[in-house]
Amino acid sequence: MIHLRLATPDDDATLRALLRSNPMPGWVSMAMTREPSFFAGAGHFGREWVVLGHAAEDVGEKKDARRTGIGEAGEAVGMYVCTEQPLHWNGVQTQVGYLGGLRINPRYRHRLRLLKIGYASIPHFTAECKAALWYTAIASENRTARRLLEAGLRGLPRYRPLNELVTLALPKARGRRHGAWRRAMPGELENLCRFHNQQAGRYQFSPVIDPVRAEATGAVFYCIDGNAGPSAVMALWNQQAYKQAMACAYRLPLNALLPLYNGYARLAKRIVLPPPGKALDQTFLAFLAVSETCEDEFPMLIEDALALCPTAVMSLGLHAGHRWLDPVLKRFRPTAYRTWIYTVAFDDVVQHCACITLPDGRPAQPEVAVL
């Protein structure tokens, strides 16, 4: 048996250790860490519930725990994070739950019973969450997890894939200042947020922002002026003070050739990859919204944003069918990381809840900076 409870600041070191020891698979395995404090990275876009699981011995069931073989006294089994976010669904602003931060101690992986226990606890720990619809993102290369969750096994929620999301890491070296973006003034945030939300409604799970929420992120907002208001909005959001993408290991042959590759990358203006154990020096291009009048200028807008970016890398997410994706791939030679976006239904809520309808065909494009 395991004991599940809401995590507290006293669990900070345990939570950070679980994040470090559970990298996401790929040609480079990446761990999404929260250093030096897990809770310093909480609540920047929505309310969070962090649930931590321990071996049953942690609550005085020592003999039973030994018989089940679950673990030793006090050992952390795993964790997950649920976040209530203001997002768009079928063009309507609504509260949506995001299921993320699922990390399992390597000693307890591949135990379906533990997964079922964890999923069954979500409605209990998030009883105050107003979300009727939930979603999550799973690395495209994590085929084992995707097959398991798409199988419709009894005791697990229903996962429905929508589409792939491509996270692009763009090298600042390919930036060029065009003077298109200007820094937004505090008094402009209300109009900028309104414009952003109008444009973002074209995508599923895109963020809904207001001036209070925008300022709370700590991101720096920029805009482009149009004839009757803004024609484009973006924010540069550097989260490295509390959230990092740390490289853990590279596949062959890159792991042996990393110094040679990085020498080439500097000359070719590509991403210089961090050595294992180091974080990617990145800023998110977040809350990007562009009117139809500016869409043809998108590559120039990205060049201009790169020139403003304070770090070596600028990351943004586009759905796999986006008209901008191919031009960005060809022009900026980014490093790309693919994830699948899923709806998660604990009780077939997508089909049967009166306030939530099935997806209407809009592509899913959540903000990668808040995943």
Side-chain angles (χ1 to χ4, degrees):
M1 294 178 63
I2 62 170
H3 172 58
L4 295 171
R5 59 176 174 81
L6 289 174
T8 71
D10 291 339
D11 300 307
D12 197 89
T14 299
L15 297 170
R16 289 186 287 114
L18 284 168
L19 292 179
R20 289 194 304 268
S21 62
N22 281 269
M24 296 179 292
W27 60 270
V28 52
S29 59
M30 300 288 292
M32 305 309 297
T33 60
R34 288 193 187 183
E35 302 291 346
S37 164
F38 181 93
F39 286 96
H44 287 273
F45 192 80
R47 182 180 178 184
E48 282 191 1
W49 291 266
V50 185
V51 178
L52 182 62
H54 282 277
E57 288 187 16
D58 191 41
V59 290
E61 298 178 9
K62 296 182 178 181
K63 293 182 179 179
D64 290 341
R66 288 195 186 99
R67 283 199 296 268
T68 59
I70 287 293
E72 300 176 357
E75 185 174 30
V77 174
M79 61 175 283
Y80 66 80
V81 182
C82 295
T83 311
E84 184 180 18
Q85 300 173 341
L87 304 179
H88 291 93
W89 179 254
N90 292 345
V92 178
Q93 299 181 12
T94 188
Q95 293 298 113
V96 179
Y98 174 66
L99 178 58
L102 177 61
R103 303 292 189 269
I104 298 177
N105 184 323
R107 291 183 57 191
Y108 305 103
R109 289 176 187 165
H110 312 299
R111 299 192 185 190
L112 185 59
R113 182 167 62 91
L114 296 183
L115 277 179
K116 291 181 177 180
I117 292 171
Y119 279 117
S121 72
I122 292 175
H124 168 72
F125 286 114
T126 62
E128 297 179 11
C129 180
K130 299 177 182 178
L133 174 65
W134 290 74
Y135 80 109
T136 195
I138 302 176
S140 297
E141 289 202 27
N142 195 351
R143 296 179 179 86
T144 300
R146 287 170 48 212
R147 282 195 298 267
L148 172 67
L149 296 172
E150 292 176 13
L153 298 179
R154 185 176 181 180
L156 297 182
R158 186 182 298 275
Y159 276 68
R160 294 182 175 88
L162 295 181
N163 56 255
E164 273 192 309
L165 179 71
V166 185
T167 300
L168 304 165
L170 309 169
K172 178 179 174 61
R174 289 185 178 265
R176 182 182 177 189
R177 194 72 172 100
H178 296 281
W181 296 103
R182 68 169 179 84
R183 187 160 178 169
M185 304 297 291
E188 298 178 296
L189 275 179
E190 186 171 353
N191 284 337
L192 298 186
C193 291
R194 185 183 302 113
F195 170 83
H196 169 273
N197 295 337
Q198 290 170 350
Q199 302 297 320
R202 294 182 287 174
Y203 307 108
Q204 308 287 27
F205 303 132
S206 59
V208 177
I209 57 174
D210 57 43
V212 174
R213 190 171 289 117
E215 289 184 347
T217 65
V220 180
F221 280 78
Y222 294 83
C223 65
I224 297 175
D225 296 316
N227 293 330
S231 59
V233 172
M234 73 161 185
L236 294 177
W237 191 358
N238 187 347
Q239 304 177 356
Q240 292 182 92
Y242 52 84
K243 180 181 175 182
Q244 306 84 27
M246 184 180 70
C248 296
Y250 295 92
R251 287 180 183 168
L252 284 170
L254 186 56
N255 61 341
L257 302 176
L258 188 61
L260 289 176
Y261 172 81
N262 279 341
Y264 157 76
R266 292 184 181 93
L267 293 174
K269 296 183 178 181
R270 294 199 171 193
I271 296 293
V272 176
L273 301 174
K278 297 295 183 180
L280 185 67
D281 182 29
Q282 73 169 343
T283 293
F284 289 99
L285 194 169
F287 310 121
L288 178 64
V290 179
S291 67
E292 293 182 1
T293 58
C294 287
E295 284 194 346
D296 291 338
E297 300 176 355
F298 186 74
M300 181 271 289
L301 301 185
I302 296 298
E303 275 189 345
D304 203 35
L306 279 167
L308 293 167
C309 181
T311 55
V313 177
M314 184 179 74
S315 297
L316 77 154
L318 299 173
H319 69 83
H322 205 296
R323 58 170 291 197
W324 296 339
L325 183 58
D326 284 342
V328 170
L329 289 171
K330 291 176 182 177
R331 184 160 181 170
F332 298 100
R333 304 295 182 183
T335 298
Y337 185 82
R338 292 176 176 264
T339 55
W340 269 92
I341 305 301
Y342 291 82
T343 60
V344 183
F346 295 97
D347 231 350
D348 282 339
V349 68
V350 176
Q351 293 186 28
H352 298 129
C353 179
C355 60
I356 295 295
T357 58
L358 290 170
D360 63 4
R362 302 177 204 222
Q365 187 170 286
E367 173 55 64
V368 295
V370 303
L371 297 183

